[in-house]
Amino acid sequence: MASPIIDCAPHREQLRALAAELPEVPRADLYGFLEKAKELSAKLPRELAAALDTFHAEGTEDGYLLLRGLPLEADDQLPATPDSTPAPLDRGRLVMEAMLAVTGRRLGLHTGYAELRSGTVYHDVYPSPGAHYLSSETSETLLEFHTEMAYHVLQPNYVMLACSRADHERRAETLVGSVRKALPLLDEATRARLFERKLPCCVDVAFRGGVEDPGAIANVRPLYGDENDPYLGYDRELLAPEEPADKEAVAALSKALDDVTESVKLTPGDLLIIDNFRTTHARTPFSPRWDGKDRWLHRVYIRTDRNGQLAGGERAGDVVSFSPRR
């Protein structure tokens, strides 16, 4: 089985040179920035380009691809880890943001979600005091397993996380559970119960329209598509089965995903690409110091022409509005 980890260190200087060809202020013209990134994605090192193309075409058993050893700034050349969002429009290009642009455009279209992070496309992910337990800004509690926006009609195909700074103790782990590994652990009755079955699902705070708790306003199918190689729709906090048989089946799926979970410790220069239609992911707790050097990731969402995510005419950098799965 091929490793999901690609060592990019031998190509670091070539990749740094590609990053330098991008506009210096990404948010001044994000459409232009991402269009240039598409052009540069054709110039990626052959090994890296092939890995991205294969991952897009076939996925992996692990459900992710980890690009390790990418170029980035020295820590003392980075700005302080953010403590607010969104990022300033005039913030200069960061190397890991450039890597997200070029590698992401090899896969599809960077997408913002109108209700999330003020509709921005690039998200800074950092610890924030008092963050909601469902938020990526939480730090000292477990961010539970979830398929990103499984309840959204325009759910992203890929979640991309690039690391500029790790947490001080290097404790934080990104956990990934792949349905391709979990499926063989489920008996036939459980598979049949979950396949193409719509279950009630709540939504994240950003998509609740200002209502504190609107309840399960979406329906999510835990397993769907090809019976032998299904897609996964799962959220440990938000999926809300009502019938006892559904609760039992979801519990079995949860256990199977726990049993196959893999851990990734993101270090500076890492870029993790998660197949958001075949996995669920989580993040373990860590302890921030609030000293300007806390963990700092950059996140983008990528849509492709699969699974009905694109209708035609979309551009990288578009922002879409919420529509719950029914």
Side-chain angles (χ1 to χ4, degrees):
M1 185 183 300
S3 171
I5 302 174
I6 307 298
D7 180 12
C8 298
H11 312 297
R12 192 174 288 149
E13 293 314 308
Q14 181 181 351
L15 292 168
R16 191 183 300 275
L18 285 180
E21 291 189 47
L22 287 165
E24 293 183 2
V25 184
R27 294 162 183 82
D29 175 12
L30 189 60
Y31 279 125
F33 182 80
L34 294 173
E35 190 59 32
K36 180 64 175 179
K38 174 62 175 176
E39 174 189 323
L40 295 174
S41 71
K43 301 179 182 179
L44 284 166
R46 182 178 303 174
E47 177 189 3
L48 176 52
L52 290 167
D53 292 346
T54 300
F55 183 67
H56 180 51
E58 303 171 7
T60 63
E61 288 296 307
D62 308 271
Y64 69 88
L65 192 67
L66 176 60
L67 311 183
R68 180 147 273 171
L70 294 168
L72 77 165
E73 297 85 354
D75 191 73
D76 60 2
Q77 295 177 337
L78 279 170
T81 296
D83 58 10
S84 64
T85 191
L89 292 177
D90 61 354
R91 190 171 82 191
R93 179 191 64 229
L94 299 175
V95 179
M96 291 310 289
E97 289 184 329
M99 293 296 97
L100 284 173
V102 178
T103 58
R105 290 297 280 121
R106 188 88 188 189
L107 296 170
L109 303 181
H110 297 62
T111 300
Y113 290 81
E115 300 81 6
L116 185 64
R117 300 290 188 97
S118 303
T120 52
V121 173
Y122 272 92
H123 299 166
D124 292 315
V125 179
Y126 54 86
S128 179
H132 192 281
Y133 73 98
L134 294 176
S135 167
S136 61
E137 294 179 12
T138 187
S139 56
E140 298 187 77
T141 59
L142 174 71
L143 181 62
E144 275 285 13
F145 277 109
H146 58 288
T147 302
E148 201 82 19
M149 290 182 257
Y151 46 76
H152 200 307
V153 169
L154 297 179
Q155 170 188 340
N157 295 80
Y158 301 113
V159 179
M160 301 182 70
L161 298 168
C163 181
S164 281
R165 281 197 181 101
D167 60 296
H168 292 286
E169 289 83 17
R170 304 287 175 106
R171 288 178 51 210
E173 301 174 55
T174 300
L175 308 177
V176 183
S178 166
V179 70
R180 283 176 165 168
K181 289 189 169 183
L183 194 67
L185 304 184
L186 299 176
D187 61 39
E188 289 299 327
T190 299
R191 291 193 205 184
R193 184 74 188 186
L194 295 176
F195 190 75
E196 296 289 354
R197 184 168 182 80
K198 294 181 179 181
L199 297 182
C201 189
C202 302
V203 302
D204 283 306
V205 175
F207 299 100
R208 294 178 184 177
V211 179
E212 184 175 346
D213 184 10
I217 62 174
N219 289 307
V220 168
R221 295 168 294 166
L223 300 176
Y224 61 103
D226 183 340
E227 288 188 38
N228 297 313
D229 188 18
Y231 297 121
L232 176 70
Y234 178 82
D235 193 301
R236 191 157 293 179
E237 296 282 355
L238 300 177
L239 201 60
E242 296 172 344
E243 297 183 23
D246 291 335
K247 292 180 180 180
E248 183 178 344
V250 169
L253 175 61
S254 294
K255 184 180 185 306
L257 290 166
D258 282 342
D259 288 346
V260 301
T261 290
E262 294 187 34
S263 166
V264 178
K265 283 191 176 181
L266 293 174
T267 60
D270 285 354
L271 194 163
L272 178 64
I273 309 170
I274 298 171
D275 182 343
N276 195 47
F277 274 82
R278 285 200 168 92
T279 65
T280 185
H281 64 280
R283 194 223 59 243
T284 63
F286 64 97
S287 299
R289 297 183 186 174
W290 318 117
D291 59 356
K293 300 287 187 179
D294 279 320
R295 189 175 193 251
W296 185 10
L297 307 184
H298 313 277
R299 179 178 66 194
V300 296
Y301 298 125
I302 303 292
R303 285 189 301 148
T304 77
D305 57 2
R306 294 182 184 171
N307 310 101
Q309 304 315 101
L310 300 178
E314 292 91 343
R315 300 172 65 188
D318 280 349
V319 177
V320 299
S321 295
F322 178 51
S323 181
R325 291 190 185 275
R326 297 297 190 188

